[in-house]
Amino acid sequence: MAELKKGTLYGVSVGPGDPELMTLQAVRRLEACPVIAAPQTKSGQMLALEIARGAVNLDGKIIVPLHFPMTREQKALQTAHEAAAESLRSYLDAGQDVAMLNLGDVSVYATFGYLQELLQARGYTTVMLAGVPSFCASAARLNRSLTAGMEEPLTIAPGGAADAVLDAPGGKVLMKTGRQLPRTLAALEAHGKLASSAMVCNCGLPNEEVWPDLSTYDRDRPAGYFATILVKE
């Protein structure tokens, strides 16, 4: 008797928030996959799933919530990643393809990479589907270019790494800066970059906020987790 072919794990990018920014490739893959896996917060929110539902009818799909703690503690993260990978194995072993939803682009600071590594090591096939990253959508929302010329570099870093990258040549993108915003703003000020920096929070979502000039930003005002800062050279 022939061995049942295992399903494929697809990392499907859903973009930063607006369902219209999802690619045709992502839509068609979600239509074809019987199992949809999506991160779920402690409060029960599944933002990537909500975005996908704005572009694809997911009725009849098996929805698998994935739980990832908001921590930098490596042991806790490793445990969560292994548990999430294990929760998908039964579907893959049954020959069902699984689409794991990822905000923005699946190759940029995405949790998919951890599960991909774990499952590939166990012999499963994985495929990545590209999407619109938050910093590209934020640049479009601000109506500004990320680079001033074809020769100018662009540095992409987490908000916590601002001090390490702000003196590098070219434009900078500081991602997921929300919880570290006070420290990031202090770094921008210290490097003389506040007036040349802009921020978009929750790009493409109903609670989107756009700040074209961070020198006017009230530092006591909290920003959400999905805050992207663009620094112009």
Side-chain angles (χ1 to χ4, degrees), residues 102-121:
N102 293 263
L103 293 170
D105 179 86
V106 71
S107 69
V108 182
Y109 298 123
T111 307
F112 175 78
Y114 299 107
L115 274 64
Q116 179 185 43
E117 183 177 350
L118 289 168
L119 290 169
Q120 281 184 167

Side-chain angles (χ1 to χ4, degrees), residues 5 86 99 126 156 187:
K5 182 181 178 182
E86 191 63 29
T126 67
I156 303 168

Side-chain angles (χ1 to χ4, degrees), residues 86-101:
E86 191 63 29
S87 71
L88 301 181
R89 287 185 65 188
S90 61
Y91 301 104
L92 297 170
D93 288 342
Q96 294 178 297
D97 291 339
V98 178
M100 178 179 168
L101 305 181

Side-chain angles (χ1 to χ4, degrees), residues 134-146:
S134 61
F135 55 88
C136 289
S138 295
R141 181 66 180 83
L142 289 159
N143 200 32
R144 60 187 278 183
S145 175
L146 286 170

Side-chain angles (χ1 to χ4, degrees), residues 12-23 26 102-108 129-140 175 203:
V12 179
S13 306
V14 301
D18 185 346
E20 291 191 357
L21 292 180
M22 286 179 59
T23 66
N102 293 263
L103 293 170
D105 179 86
V106 71
S107 69
V108 182
L129 277 61
V132 177
S134 61
F135 55 88
C136 289
S138 295
M175 297 185 64
C203 187

Side-chain angles (χ1 to χ4, degrees), residues 69 71 73-81:
T71 179
E73 207 282 302
Q74 289 303 308
K75 187 173 181 179
L77 287 172
Q78 181 67 22
T79 298
H81 296 153

